Amino acid sequence: MTSTVLTPWWRPRRPRAGASGTAGSMSATRILDWRHARVQRLLADARDGAPDAGQRALLLSAHRLISERVRPVYAMNDAQPASRTLARGRGSCSQRLAVLEAVARAAGVPTRVRGLLVDGSFWYPRFPRVRRLVPDAVVLAWPEFHIDGAWVMVSELYAPLGVLGARNPAGFTNSGSQTLFEALSSTAVDWDGSASACGTDGCAAYDLSAMVRRDLGRFASRDELFAAHGQTLCPPARVIGGALLSRVTPA
């Protein structure tokens, strides 16, 4: 049995009406504080790594730099500003995705997030000895970027899901040293069980749709998502959990 005591149970976490048409934004927010000097420096370095290239190439360059410069750790505060994550040089997958979003907005690329309520069992491989402490469900902010006139999920920045799935048929298992953030460059992460993943012979191994309890809709920013549905853990639990895990590297 997973833990529900430490989650903000008073949040209904139901889909928001009309959220699927959210237009996204380039505005700076508390989390996506792209005007900060640290985010601007990262943007400049990403541009150096993708000279005279398009928006997608710039985001791939930024993703690679974040992977190199921000060490993966377990952290609880999904609302941490991107500049703070860069200053610390370590962050969770959610915090590092926020940095990527901040860089995108700084470069003039609109972003939005899709809110997913993911079953806590998805994280069991990371915590095999303390499963009872894993939250019953986790609120995940999954970014999307408006590139070349279309919305692109972060999971398809490098290539379409079908292409990534063919390269690595086993899919993302959430075990071992590879984190969700790093997996984006080489592994299909499919929360929908899309047509490219499922056919007459069943669904591919990278289909994670069974782990999604609820699609919360799309929001103009992760700030709006967390304001509407809260973070996975209540504030006291985030403080305690963050202090214990923030210096632990996934392995």
Side-chain angles (χ1 to χ4, degrees):
M1 179 179 296
T2 54
S3 173
T4 58
V5 176
L6 300 179
T7 59
W9 50 267
W10 62 89
R11 300 281 188 175
R13 287 178 176 164
R14 296 187 179 91
R16 188 179 65 173
S20 61
T22 297
S25 174
M26 291 185 293
S27 299
T29 69
R30 181 183 177 278
I31 301 175
L32 307 177
D33 57 342
W34 61 261
R35 291 189 176 89
H36 195 283
R38 294 190 191 98
V39 179
Q40 290 293 323
R41 283 197 296 271
L42 180 58
L43 170 61
D45 291 343
R47 282 176 169 155
D48 288 341
D52 302 321
Q55 294 175 326
R56 186 188 294 265
L58 174 64
L59 294 181
L60 297 185
S61 177
H63 180 267
R64 290 189 289 268
L65 288 175
I66 296 167
S67 296
E68 295 170 1
R69 299 179 182 183
V70 184
R71 179 169 58 92
V73 296
Y74 300 117
M76 304 292 112
N77 184 15
D78 288 335
Q80 177 171 283
S83 62
R84 178 66 170 162
T85 301
L86 288 172
R88 290 184 168 185
R90 63 179 189 270
S92 67
C93 289
S94 178
Q95 290 169 344
R96 291 187 292 163
L97 284 171
V99 174
L100 183 60
E101 279 189 80
V103 172
R105 291 192 177 201
V109 178
T111 78
R112 65 186 184 188
V113 295
R114 180 182 177 190
L116 298 171
L117 195 61
V118 180
D119 195 275
S121 63
F122 180 65
W123 279 269
Y124 282 176
R126 296 285 180 191
F127 305 96
R129 298 181 181 179
V130 289
R131 287 186 177 183
R132 291 188 178 184
L133 298 181
V134 176
D136 184 62
V138 174
V139 178
L140 179 65
W142 200 241
E144 298 178 350
F145 305 88
H146 199 259
I147 302 172
D148 299 327
W151 284 104
V152 178
M153 296 182 296
V154 67
S155 46
E156 292 195 302
L157 273 180
Y158 280 85
L161 290 175
V163 174
L164 292 171
R167 293 175 185 171
N168 185 3
F172 181 69
T173 60
N174 209 10
S175 61
S177 59
Q178 187 185 55
T179 69
L180 187 60
F181 186 83
E182 276 77 26
L184 297 173
S185 64
S186 60
T187 306
V189 180
D190 181 15
W191 298 112
D192 295 300
S194 64
S196 61
C198 299
T200 56
D201 296 328
C203 295
Y206 58 83
D207 171 24
L208 298 175
S209 60
M211 290 293 176
V212 179
R213 288 194 180 183
R214 189 169 298 135
D215 186 337
L216 300 174
R218 288 177 171 83
F219 296 78
S221 71
R222 59 183 52 228
D223 302 65
E224 290 188 11
L225 168 64
F226 295 133
H229 294 282
Q231 295 188 53
T232 298
L233 298 178
C234 62
R238 290 202 298 271
V239 172
I240 296 171
L244 293 174
L245 297 176
S246 63
R247 296 184 181 277
V248 179
T249 301

